[in-house]
Amino acid sequence: MGGGRRKKQHFGRIHAFSCGKASFNGEHSRIGGPGFSRVVYCNDPDCLEATAHSYESNYVRTTKYRLATFLPKALFEQFRRVANIYFLICAILSFTPLSPYSAVSNVVPLVVVIGVTMGKEAVEDWRRKRQDIEMNNRKVRVHHGDGVFEYTKWRDLKVGDIVKVEKDEYFPADLILLSSSYDEALCYVETTNLDGETNLKLKQALEATSNLHEDSSFDNFKGVIRCEDPNANLYSFVGSLEIEEQPYPLTPQQLLLRDSKLRNTDFVYGVVIFTGHDTKVMQNSTAPPSKRSKVEKRMDKIIYFLFFLLVLMSFVGATVFGVTTRKDLENGRMIRWYLRPDDTTVYYDPTKAPVAAILQFLTAIMLYSYLLIPYPCMYQ
């Protein structure tokens, strides 16, 4: 039963049905063309024509990662940081004989810092997942035939379903208002979650559907809605509702958006036209951002400068080392005999001074890494 239907109030003469009327002109003439091709079979979401369209489900996901993509995406996020790339290179080089210190002392701090940061990312994304689960498992009354409305999870809604939303409940998808508990078929909507406005918006159904006051009224109700394709514009809507081959124009006055709330109205009936990520609120949403603040980007510039100094120091040191090494066996004489240049490896070989200089350069790059160590820790 519909129950609780409000009688016409004294302000009924102010809100005439002209509020919900429109004419077929302007953009309404484009219905059926490009950008206006959506077709909704009201109260018959499982018919052959409806299933052929394969519209989005009403399941909404706002998480940044999936189980299979967490590791590669999280690692990518970490190594977007300049300092982390540098320390990764040093960690790889620390496993070679070039390293002036043990690999453990270089690898463990890098793994700990990156591991803790990735763990924080995982916790934040899990919280998003929990919010998604809570939202997708909310319930709303949906018509299942014979005038019977049963509670159904939001995620199971389909385009074309008739739903009954009660006072102070959120709309589970984008709906076209069919009727309400008021004789004038109007309702009041709070859109704070959409546009931040606290004042209530007045919506009103078409006169053609305003007499659908009870649950049983939808036993034989059929209609076809033709409207615009999903888009992000919250304040416009173009469509038409065809009942018994008679078309009626639809405007934003009949559009109820997901995440807005029903206020000061006992209940409304509506038909689902956009679900899931096709809804206007999701069309306006953005993916969880990569957390790179202005401070961090500024720090990257400092890292670039420090890295330039590090390379310059290493280059100068390696050049001096190469020149000095070449002179150690001048005319067969050992100038620095205590270094035994006649019995040495390629890392200190007077006959291969250029190679020795390059290897010394790589060693210096690792050795002077302490010039950069404080900075990655500041913004992890």
Side-chain angles (χ1 to χ4, degrees):
M1 298 294 295
R5 179 165 171 264
R6 297 188 182 186
K7 295 181 179 180
K8 185 179 292 187
Q9 303 296 321
H10 67 277
F11 51 75
R13 286 171 292 185
I14 300 176
H15 301 293
F17 275 106
S18 59
C19 294
K21 288 184 179 180
S23 59
F24 284 102
N25 52 35
E27 288 193 324
H28 282 89
S29 62
R30 300 170 61 186
I31 294 176
F36 297 83
S37 61
R38 197 171 188 88
V39 181
V40 178
Y41 296 89
C42 306
N43 213 17
D44 197 8
D46 296 317
C47 68
L48 182 62
E49 294 86 350
T51 55
H53 290 287
S54 300
Y55 293 135
E56 279 271 347
S57 72
N58 203 40
Y59 184 87
V60 168
R61 185 180 73 88
T62 61
T63 55
K64 185 176 181 179
Y65 306 104
R66 296 179 185 269
L67 185 61
T69 62
F70 173 73
L71 187 61
K73 281 189 174 182
L75 286 175
F76 172 77
E77 289 292 333
Q78 295 308 307
F79 290 106
R80 290 178 64 189
R81 297 180 169 96
V82 178
N84 282 349
I85 295 176
Y86 168 74
F87 286 110
L88 175 64
I89 294 172
C90 288
I92 294 172
L93 291 175
S94 68
F95 288 96
T96 70
L98 292 171
S99 178
Y101 41 70
S102 67
V104 174
S105 64
N106 191 278
V107 173
V108 171
L110 179 64
V111 170
V112 170
V113 170
I114 290 180
V116 169
T117 309
M118 289 176 62
K120 184 176 66 174
E121 288 275 317
V123 170
E124 291 177 354
D125 215 49
W126 172 244
R127 290 173 180 168
R128 295 190 194 101
K129 179 69 173 178
R130 288 172 57 186
Q131 291 176 348
D132 289 347
I133 292 173
E134 187 276 330
M135 179 176 292
N136 288 311
N137 285 323
R138 289 178 182 173
K139 293 185 177 181
V140 65
R141 295 181 65 183
V142 179
H143 185 236
H144 287 277
D146 301 324
V148 177
F149 282 73
E150 298 179 356
Y151 282 103
T152 303
K153 292 180 179 179
W154 280 22
R155 66 184 183 187
D156 296 327
L157 285 181
K158 300 176 182 177
V159 172
D161 277 334
I162 304 294
V163 301
K164 182 179 182 180
V165 180
E166 299 180 338
K167 184 179 179 180
D168 295 331
E169 289 183 346
Y170 287 100
F171 298 114
D174 287 355
L175 314 175
I176 289 298
L177 176 63
L178 297 177
S179 63
S180 76
S181 55
Y182 286 109
D183 283 342
E184 298 90 345
L186 56 83
C187 69
Y188 297 92
V189 176
E190 179 187 288
T191 60
T192 305
N193 288 349
L194 302 180
D195 52 21
E197 294 187 13
T198 56
N199 57 306
L200 301 183
K201 307 293 194 305
L202 178 65
K203 302 287 184 175
Q204 187 172 31
L206 297 174
E207 186 174 3
T209 60
S210 63
N211 60 342
L212 301 171
H213 299 303
E214 306 289 338
D215 291 0
S216 57
S217 303
F218 293 91
D219 186 11
N220 299 313
F221 173 75
K222 298 292 181 185
V224 177
I225 293 176
R226 306 179 193 278
C227 64
E228 62 185 29
D229 295 335
N231 61 72
N233 196 326
L234 296 174
Y235 306 106
S236 70
F237 179 76
V238 178
S240 67
L241 170 61
E242 185 177 307
I243 302 176
E244 297 179 352
E245 299 184 356
Q246 176 64 42
Y248 301 91
L250 296 172
T251 67
Q253 191 70 23
Q254 290 83 47
L255 184 63
L256 306 174
L257 299 178
R258 180 185 175 117
D259 274 358
S260 55
K261 182 184 286 189
L262 183 65
R263 292 290 196 183
N264 299 345
T265 311
D266 291 337
F267 62 85
V268 296
Y269 294 101
V271 57
V272 177
I273 57 168
F274 298 130
T275 51
H277 290 272
D278 282 346
T279 58
K280 289 183 180 289
V281 65
M282 294 307 298
Q283 290 282 314
N284 277 280
S285 66
T286 57
S290 174
K291 293 186 175 179
R292 286 180 57 80
S293 64
K294 292 182 179 179
V295 173
E296 183 176 337
K297 293 177 180 179
R298 190 172 300 172
M299 288 295 298
D300 275 355
K301 295 179 180 179
I302 298 175
I303 293 293
Y304 281 126
F305 175 72
L306 292 176
F307 185 71
F308 170 76
L309 290 181
L310 186 151
V311 170
L312 181 61
M313 291 167 56
S314 300
F315 177 77
V316 172
T319 302
V320 173
F321 178 82
V323 172
T324 306
T325 299
R326 181 184 294 275
K327 295 178 179 179
D328 276 346
L329 277 178
E330 187 175 355
N331 299 323
R333 295 181 59 187
M334 295 177 289
I335 299 175
R336 292 185 294 179
W337 55 269
Y338 51 87
L339 296 178
R340 293 299 305 275
D342 58 330
D343 183 23
T344 186
T345 64
V346 70
Y347 303 105
Y348 177 66
D349 188 347
T351 63
K352 298 179 180 179
V355 176
I358 293 173
L359 297 178
Q360 172 63 23
F361 173 80
L362 296 176
T363 301
I365 287 289
M366 291 186 286
L367 188 61
Y368 301 152
S369 63
Y370 296 99
L371 185 65
L372 298 180
I373 279 181
Y375 292 92
C377 299
M378 291 176 63
Y379 54 77
Q380 289 292 339

